[in-house]
Amino acid sequence: MIKLAPSILSADFGKLRETVEILNESPADVLHVDVMDGRFVPNISFGFPVLEVLARHSKKPLDVHLMIEEPEKFAERFIKSGASWLSFHLEACAHTHRLLEAVQGWGARPGLAINPQTGLDGMEYLVDCLGFVNVMTVNPGFGGQKFIQAMFHKIKALDELRKKTGSHFEIEIDGGVNMGNAVALKEAGADILVAGNALFSEPQLSEGVLKFKHLLV
Ligand code: DX5
Ligand code: ZN
């Protein structure tokens, strides 16, 4: 079944523990945690101490999305701080293959995130060390942005590449996902849907997660 990953970036940070406890009791599959450095993206979010608190209280695995320059400098520490899944950006890393293997060696599930303008060139050489590909469907940096429709084409192409190469990496969709496009994304080949604004703007987060999951059955 397709996985749902609520994005903590859209949470009320004053109620982080309460939010994690609500999500613990919900059918959410993983918690998506966006780390931004103010260099790779024009925004700064949070780092190790917040991740450690989330890890202490969450019963769900943490899917940490690094939107930082030089991810190789910090990846191991993010895993030690609680990341079960770790994605970093292709555009921010010269030695992608090496870092994907290292992430696996440090005990996390390796993911590669790609910006909207990035194509799939070279991806066929990475399939053996990819746990998942995070297809950015907005320009990274902020929650609550509009989904870029042209990304459907990329998701389908990635699904075809996966079939052609007989590989098993999952396709994660990040940015502008909502209850209006979720089913079409699933049909295009998505396995994991990240949802921030669409879930946290619901009157009750727990109800929002349930509604979203029912859509995806
Ligand atoms: C954007 C982040 C996303 C963001 C998604 O840079 O990578 O994970 O939290 O938020 P929504 O679902 O509101 O677009
Ligand atoms: Zn993200």
Side-chain angles (χ1 to χ4, degrees):
M1 224 238 281
I2 194 161
K3 299 181 177 84
L4 182 63
S7 178
I8 289 298
L9 188 65
S10 294
D12 176 344
F13 290 175
K15 296 183 184 160
L16 220 40
R17 180 167 176 180
E18 201 180 312
T19 302
V20 170
E21 281 164 0
I22 292 170
L23 292 171
N24 279 344
E25 304 313 315
S26 82
D29 297 278
V30 288
L31 303 195
H32 188 81
V33 184
D34 288 308
V35 175
M36 306 179 184
D37 67 352
R39 291 178 64 217
F40 182 70
V41 287
N43 198 7
I44 296 177
S45 56
F46 36 71
F48 306 113
V50 174
L51 181 60
E52 282 159 14
V53 170
L54 292 171
R56 203 171 318 131
H57 297 290
S58 179
K59 292 183 190 164
K60 313 276 177 177
L62 301 182
D63 163 27
V64 175
H65 174 196
L66 297 183
M67 283 162 275
I68 65 172
E69 296 285 359
E70 301 182 282
E72 62 281 1
K73 276 194 183 167
F74 299 103
E76 186 177 11
R77 192 161 161 209
F78 277 107
I79 294 165
K80 294 224 161 78
S81 300
S84 297
W85 300 9
L86 190 85
S87 69
F88 60 90
H89 272 261
L90 174 68
E91 302 86 0
C93 182
H95 302 287
T96 309
H97 186 279
R98 175 184 289 153
L99 187 54
L100 286 167
E101 286 198 323
V103 167
Q104 178 122 43
W106 291 319
R109 185 170 191 228
L112 191 60
I114 51 174
N115 280 339
Q117 86 282 2
T118 301
L120 302 181
D121 271 11
M123 197 70 86
E124 68 265 38
Y125 304 115
L126 299 173
V127 292
D128 291 342
C129 48
L130 274 178
F132 64 104
V133 176
N134 177 353
V135 179
M136 290 303 306
T137 43
V138 297
N139 288 296
F142 303 92
Q145 301 182 83
K146 192 167 169 276
F147 183 91
I148 302 170
Q149 289 298 328
M151 296 303 108
F152 267 109
H153 180 64
K154 194 195 290 189
I155 297 161
K156 287 180 189 157
L158 199 51
D159 187 38
E160 276 161 28
L161 172 72
R162 173 166 64 176
K163 287 179 183 139
K164 197 177 85 188
T165 54
S167 38
H168 302 287
F169 63 85
E170 288 191 312
I171 301 176
E172 176 174 65
I173 311 300
D174 190 7
V177 173
N178 55 47
M179 296 194 208
N181 58 20
V183 173
L185 288 165
K186 176 183 165 185
E187 284 164 3
D191 304 289
I192 309 149
L193 299 182
V194 175
N197 191 54
L199 282 178
F200 286 88
S201 63
E202 287 282 311
Q204 295 287 332
L205 176 61
S206 53
E207 293 292 313
V209 175
L210 276 176
K211 269 205 277 182
F212 224 112
K213 283 294 275 192
H214 280 144
L215 256 183
L216 298 169
V217 172

